[in-house]
């Protein structure tokens, strides 16, 4: 083997630490940015966070008056208080969990201590919907031989648990959950014994037929006529198939918009939301000390000063990029701003990238978990991207807009006379939207809307 030295030239893209940090900041959501900022402020004493959050001149080309009006408009609509108000940040309500609620009820019963203890153990086996997901045999096997817990004892404890509120908790199946609720005498509208008996038969043997609105099968299961089946169906609809969900549903999150858009003096104006834009500066004390020391200043302090100035530029550039991308998106979605989601236009990352002169990956980073407040609500910027379908005019319509049209058609259809997919296709064609019937069916399924035949069957079941 012969060894030799060779000289080769080539190009290689290298991401500097500064560029990597800039990309990371652009990727961050508003919440992640606050965490990143807190860490940088802790690590670099050269940086200071000031109270007067003002939109940087580099991040918006709107006039000072327009931006101020826009911020005041947003604050008035959201009830936003002054930053000096110590109650500016909303607090999440502290909710009572399902297990805590059930334990409080068990403490008030006259059951034996062992039964209560076993019922509390069963509570730990409940899922978020309030169902017991393990069999009593499996649960009994979890106890040691010394505990001597039998299935019969667990069955007694389960009946104790099922007697608690909310009705239906501790059920092992949907059928059992509904039957438990039908055994409760506190129904909002007490039914006749005949209707109650019919509802029990449906819950016990005919839930699948009820889901299909199969009247023939329901008559076979219950032996009742159509009117009584409809009354039983109305009763079943009052029941809660997920009794524990009200306790397990997490507190709703709220999105603080990064960008605000409002019409001011007939023009759509965009500006960065000052509530999410930190105002940073270099510590005057440290900067003065470094200038005074000159060459005697340590290299570490000088490096931190350079890093602090770089971080301020990167944060400013982040908001500038987000605002530029938002403007490009809203320029393409003028119809949305005027009329709402039904007029959303097809848009791709490439369209925005070409408009602002950036790479598609940058557009993706600038729109992920970034929100914009519009007259029609707060939306993630990614919500405005979507494919299109052809129209007779040669232009494209957004797939989202087409889905909204389909949903509106179906919501307005005559009761008992649902629109078929073919009819929906014709109605869209009358609006100049060329789309195949199978595409209409796909969009309908995406919206969670059943077929016309099933809608018709359910409509007949709901008739009084």
């Amino acid at each position: 083997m012969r060894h030799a030295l060779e000289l080769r030239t080539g190009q290689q893209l290298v991401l500097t630490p500064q560029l990597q940090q800039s990309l990371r900041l652009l990727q961050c959501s508003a919440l992640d940015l606050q965490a990143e900022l807190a860490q940088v402020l802790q690590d670099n004493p050269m940086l200071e966070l000031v109270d007067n959050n003002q939109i940087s001149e580099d991040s918006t080309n709107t006039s000072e008056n327009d931006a101020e009006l826009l911020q005041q408009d947003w604050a008035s609509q959201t009830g936003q208080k002054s930053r000096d108000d110590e109650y500016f940040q909303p607090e999440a309500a502290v909710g009572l969990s399902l297990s805590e609620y059930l334990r409080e009820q068990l403490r008030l019963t006259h059951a034996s201590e062992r039964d209560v203890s076993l019922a509390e153990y069963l509570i730990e086996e409940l899922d978020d919907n309030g169902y017991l997901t393990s069999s009593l045999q499996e649960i009994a096997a979890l106890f040691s031989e010394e505990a001597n817990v039998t299935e019969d004892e667990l069955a007694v404890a389960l009946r104790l648990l099922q007697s608690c509120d909310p009705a239906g908790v501790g059920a092992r199946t949907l059928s059992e959950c509904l039957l438990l609720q039908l055994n409760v005498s506190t129904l909002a509208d007490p039914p006749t014994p005949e209707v109650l008996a019919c509802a029990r038969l449906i819950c016990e043997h005919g839930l699948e037929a009820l889901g299909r609105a199969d009247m023939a099968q329901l008559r076979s299961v219950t032996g009742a006529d159509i009117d009584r089946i409809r009354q039983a169906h109305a009763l079943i609809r009052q029941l809660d198939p997920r009794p524990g969900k009200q306790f397990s549903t997490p507190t709703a999150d709220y999105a603080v918009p990064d960008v605000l858009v409002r019409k001011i003096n007939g023009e759509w104006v965009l500006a960065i939301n000052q509530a999410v834009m930190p105002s940073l500066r270099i510590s005057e004390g440290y900067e003065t000390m470094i200038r005074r020391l000159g060459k005697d200043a340590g290299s570490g302090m000088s490096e931190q000063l350079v890093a602090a100035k770089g971080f301020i530029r990167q944060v400013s550039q982040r908001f500038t990029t987000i605002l530029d991308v938002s403007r490009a998106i809203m320029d393409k979605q003028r119809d949305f701003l005027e009329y709402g989601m039904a007029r959303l236009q097809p848009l791709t990352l490439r369209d925005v990238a070409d408009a602002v002169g950036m790479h598609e990956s940058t557009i993706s980073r600038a729109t992920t978990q970034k929100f914009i407040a519009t007259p029609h609500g707060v939306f993630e910027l990614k919500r405005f991207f979507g494919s299109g379908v052809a129209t007779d005019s040669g232009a494209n319509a957004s797939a989202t807009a087409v889905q909204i049209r389909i949903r509106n058609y179906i919501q307005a259809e005559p009761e008992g006379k649902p629109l078929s997919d073919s009819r929906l296709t014709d109605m869209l064609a009358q609006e100049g939207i060329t789309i195949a019937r199978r595409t209409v069916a796909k969009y309908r399924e995406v919206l969670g809307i059943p077929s016309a035949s099933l809608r018709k069957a359910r409509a007949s079941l709901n008739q009084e």
Side-chain angles (χ1 to χ4, degrees):
M1 180 181 295
R2 186 168 61 89
H3 298 278
L5 294 176
E6 294 183 2
L7 182 62
R8 296 181 181 180
T9 60
Q11 291 183 336
Q12 183 178 5
L13 180 62
V14 178
L15 294 178
T16 64
Q18 293 79 10
L19 181 57
Q20 292 178 12
Q21 185 180 49
S22 180
L23 293 175
R24 186 173 67 254
L25 291 177
L26 183 59
Q27 181 76 41
C28 288
S29 64
L31 185 62
D32 293 336
L33 179 64
Q34 295 299 321
E36 181 79 15
L37 178 61
Q39 185 62 45
V40 172
L41 288 172
Q42 180 179 349
D43 296 339
N44 194 335
M46 299 293 174
L47 273 177
E48 286 183 349
L49 183 65
V50 293
D51 293 333
N52 56 331
N53 267 350
Q54 295 179 350
I55 298 176
S56 170
E57 293 181 0
D58 295 335
S59 65
T60 177
N61 59 14
T62 61
S63 69
E64 225 176 87
N65 292 335
D66 284 348
E68 184 178 349
L69 286 172
L70 198 153
Q71 293 285 343
Q72 292 174 355
D73 179 50
W74 166 253
S76 65
Q77 292 196 26
T78 58
Q80 180 175 313
K81 297 182 179 181
S82 168
R83 281 191 167 273
D84 296 331
D85 191 339
E86 61 177 334
Y87 300 109
F88 173 74
Q89 292 295 339
E91 295 182 1
V94 178
L96 188 67
S97 68
L98 177 62
S99 61
E100 292 171 340
Y101 183 58
L102 293 173
R103 284 193 176 91
E104 285 185 359
Q105 296 177 68
L106 290 175
R107 296 188 191 104
L108 301 177
T109 65
H110 298 289
S112 66
E113 183 177 348
R114 182 175 175 85
D115 287 341
V116 171
S117 298
L118 291 177
E120 290 181 339
Y121 188 88
L122 293 178
I123 289 174
E124 298 302 322
E125 297 294 322
L126 299 180
D127 65 9
D128 290 342
N129 294 322
Y131 283 78
L132 185 65
T133 56
S134 303
S135 68
L136 296 183
Q137 181 180 6
E138 292 172 338
I139 296 174
L142 297 176
F143 288 91
S144 63
E145 294 183 1
E146 293 78 8
N148 192 26
V149 175
T150 65
E151 290 184 44
D152 291 339
E153 285 184 299
L154 288 175
V156 172
L158 179 59
R159 286 195 294 272
L160 176 61
L161 174 60
Q162 291 176 344
S163 68
C164 295
D165 184 69
V169 70
R172 288 156 289 187
T173 63
L174 174 60
S175 175
E176 184 180 17
C177 178
L178 299 178
L179 286 170
L180 286 170
Q181 294 177 62
L182 288 175
N183 288 330
V184 176
S185 60
T186 56
L187 293 171
D189 187 12
T192 64
E194 294 79 11
V195 172
L196 182 59
C198 182
R200 285 174 178 165
L201 286 172
I202 293 175
C203 291
E204 190 171 1
H205 304 291
L207 284 180
E208 291 185 5
L210 185 65
R212 299 191 306 269
D214 188 341
M215 297 298 287
Q217 182 66 21
L218 289 172
R219 285 197 299 268
S220 175
V221 167
T222 62
D225 57 24
I226 294 179
D227 289 338
R228 185 166 296 172
I229 291 175
R230 287 172 177 162
Q231 293 173 358
H233 176 233
L235 173 60
I236 293 172
R237 290 181 62 182
Q238 299 177 25
L239 309 180
D240 187 356
R242 297 180 293 179
K245 197 64 177 178
Q246 57 181 310
F247 295 90
S248 61
T249 301
T251 305
D253 294 329
Y254 57 91
V256 179
D258 301 86
V259 182
L260 312 177
V261 55
R262 290 291 185 273
K263 181 176 281 189
I264 299 177
N265 299 326
E267 296 292 333
W268 290 106
V269 178
L270 280 77
I272 291 294
N273 182 11
Q274 297 181 23
V276 300
M277 185 176 182
S279 184
L280 298 168
R281 69 183 179 190
I282 303 297
S283 171
E284 295 182 3
Y286 279 108
E287 190 174 21
T288 301
M289 181 177 62
I290 291 175
R291 282 200 305 266
R292 185 174 66 250
L293 293 175
K295 295 182 179 180
D296 295 334
S299 59
M301 295 182 63
S302 300
E303 290 175 359
Q304 285 186 322
L305 179 61
V306 172
K309 292 180 178 179
F311 185 78
I312 293 176
R313 287 194 302 270
Q314 291 161 4
V315 171
S316 176
Q317 181 61 39
R318 174 189 185 272
F319 287 102
T320 299
T321 301
I322 292 174
L323 188 60
D324 290 342
V325 171
S326 300
R327 283 203 182 99
I329 293 175
M330 290 299 105
D331 283 343
K332 301 287 186 180
Q333 300 293 359
R334 293 279 177 172
D335 286 347
F336 158 79
L337 292 174
E338 295 287 350
Y339 306 106
M341 293 297 292
R343 298 292 291 273
L344 200 65
Q345 300 298 311
L347 186 65
T348 64
L349 291 173
R350 169 58 62 184
D351 296 334
V352 178
D354 292 341
V356 297
M358 299 177 184
H359 194 271
E360 291 180 47
S361 62
T362 303
I363 305 301
S364 179
R365 290 186 176 93
T367 54
T368 300
Q369 293 186 313
K370 313 301 188 304
F371 296 87
I372 182 170
T374 75
H376 309 290
V378 178
F379 300 91
E380 187 180 11
L381 288 174
K382 278 190 176 298
R383 184 71 175 82
F384 298 99
F385 295 104
S387 59
V389 295
T391 64
D392 290 344
S393 64
N396 286 336
S398 168
T400 302
V402 174
Q403 291 176 16
I404 291 176
R405 282 183 170 87
I406 292 174
R407 184 180 61 194
N408 292 339
Y409 290 153
I410 293 176
Q411 288 177 344
E413 67 186 5
E415 187 176 0
K417 296 181 179 180
L419 300 171
S420 65
D421 293 339
S422 297
R423 177 57 182 153
L424 291 171
T425 303
D426 295 338
M427 295 175 70
L428 289 171
Q430 293 175 6
E431 292 195 35
I433 300 175
T434 304
I435 186 172
R437 186 195 61 79
R438 62 180 179 273
T439 306
V440 171
K442 182 183 72 173
Y443 285 170
R444 174 178 54 73
E445 292 172 357
V446 168
L447 293 170
I449 300 174
S451 64
S453 59
L454 185 54
R455 298 203 304 276
K456 183 176 181 180
R458 290 180 177 177
S460 66
L461 185 62
N462 292 330
Q463 290 177 356
E464 297 182 358

